[in-house]
Amino acid sequence: MSTDNKKADFQAEEQAVPNAQVEITGRNVTVPEHFAERVNTKLAKIERLDPTLTYFHVELKHENNPRRADESDRIQITASGKGHIARAEAKEDSFYAALEVALARMERSLRKVKVRRKTPKSGHRAPVGMGEATAALVEEAKPHQEEKPGKYDVDPYEDQFQPGQVVRSKTHSAKPMSVDEALSEMELVGHDFYLFVNEENSQPSVVYRRHAFDYGLITLKPENN
C-alpha cells in the first residue's frame, strides 16, 4: 500500500463515526467538541466488534477531591444492543486517560463474548456444582488474617452506631436463559457475578467468576415441605 493510501485510510479512520446513536453527558464538567469527536471516533472502532449495538451513552464526571487527584476524572460507557448491555468505566487523572482505559475494558468484554458465541458449548469449562461453589464463596469471604482481640470486651461506642440498612431496592423482569447466555451477559456488563433464571430448571441462579478462567454456578431450590 502506498503512503498516500495509508494516509487516506488513517484520515478516514480518524473521521469515522459509529452508526449507533451516541449520547455524551457531563456531570460537573462541560464536554468540549473536540473531545466528543474523539469519543465518536473511538466508539466507531468498538462498534465493529458488535454491529448489533444501537446506542452508546458516555458519561463524564469530575470529582474535586485533592486526596484522589489521580482518579478525579471518571468516564462510564454504556452500550446497548439487541437484548444485551455492555458497560465499562474508569477513573484516571484526565478524561483522555479514562477514555482509553474504559474503551480497552469494553473491548476486552466484547471480544470475550464474541469468542464465547463462536465456541461450541462443549468447549466451555463446566461450571462447578452448587456444593463446591458455596464452599468456595465461604472460603473467599474469610478474612486474610484473624482479628486480634480488642482492648475492650464491649465497644464503648457501640450505641453511637446503627447497623447498615437496605437503602436501594430494584425489581427486574427476567427472561429465562441458559448458563452460557448468562456468562456472556456477565462479561458484557463487566461484573463478577450475574443473577438470572435458568431455563433448564426455571430456578433463580447465579453465575460468578472464580480464579483463572473458571466460573461458578449457584442455584436456589425451594425445600420440600
Side-chain angles (χ1 to χ4, degrees):
M1 181 181 295
S2 66
T3 303
D4 291 339
N5 289 337
K6 289 183 180 180
K7 184 177 181 180
D9 290 342
F10 176 78
Q11 291 176 343
E13 184 174 317
E14 288 298 309
Q15 296 172 358
V17 294
N19 294 319
Q21 178 185 353
V22 177
E23 181 181 4
I24 306 174
T25 58
R27 296 175 61 184
N28 303 328
V29 64
T30 300
V31 182
E33 184 177 350
H34 62 85
F35 189 82
E37 292 177 353
R38 185 180 184 88
V39 170
N40 277 275
T41 298
K42 296 290 186 178
L43 292 180
K45 299 178 182 179
I46 293 293
E47 188 181 47
R48 297 173 192 167
L49 296 173
D50 188 349
T52 66
L53 296 176
T54 57
Y55 176 74
F56 288 100
H57 179 216
V58 181
E59 182 183 75
L60 285 69
K61 182 180 179 181
H62 179 72
E63 300 176 353
N64 292 315
N65 187 345
R67 296 182 179 180
R68 303 296 296 273
D70 58 335
E71 296 182 351
S72 60
D73 292 340
R74 179 179 71 88
I75 284 185
Q76 183 181 78
I77 304 174
T78 304
S80 57
K82 293 182 179 179
H84 62 269
I85 295 178
R87 185 177 293 112
E89 69 173 68
K91 294 181 179 180
E92 299 292 335
D93 57 356
S94 72
F95 285 117
Y96 283 96
L99 177 63
E100 295 300 326
V101 174
L103 287 169
R105 289 173 178 171
M106 176 164 286
E107 181 177 347
R108 284 196 297 270
S109 296
L110 291 175
R111 288 189 183 280
K112 284 183 180 180
V113 173
K114 189 175 182 179
V115 171
R116 176 172 293 280
R117 289 171 178 169
K118 290 182 178 180
T119 304
K121 292 185 178 181
S122 59
H124 295 312
R125 293 174 180 264
V128 297
M130 181 177 178
E132 183 182 351
T134 305
L137 285 177
V138 172
E139 186 65 27
E140 292 172 5
K142 290 182 179 179
H144 295 291
Q145 296 180 347
E146 294 293 335
E147 294 185 0
K148 296 180 179 180
K151 180 178 179 180
Y152 302 96
D153 293 332
V154 178
D155 187 349
Y157 303 103
E158 182 177 4
D159 59 347
Q160 299 181 18
F161 300 94
Q162 298 296 325
Q165 305 293 322
V166 176
V167 296
R168 189 175 184 181
S169 178
K170 285 187 176 182
T171 301
H172 296 276
S173 58
K175 177 182 177 182
M177 64 177 65
S178 67
V179 173
D180 193 72
E181 290 172 331
L183 290 172
S184 294
E185 292 296 324
M186 181 182 71
E187 294 289 359
L188 285 172
V189 297
H191 291 171
D192 291 326
F193 67 92
Y194 190 81
L195 175 65
F196 70 107
V197 176
N198 194 332
E199 66 180 12
E200 293 183 2
N201 51 28
S202 300
Q203 301 293 344
S205 306
V206 173
V207 289
Y208 67 95
R209 196 187 315 278
R210 299 194 72 207
H211 305 294
F213 301 101
D214 292 327
Y215 300 99
L217 171 65
I218 297 177
T219 298
L220 298 180
K221 183 179 180 181
E223 293 183 357
N224 295 324
N225 294 328

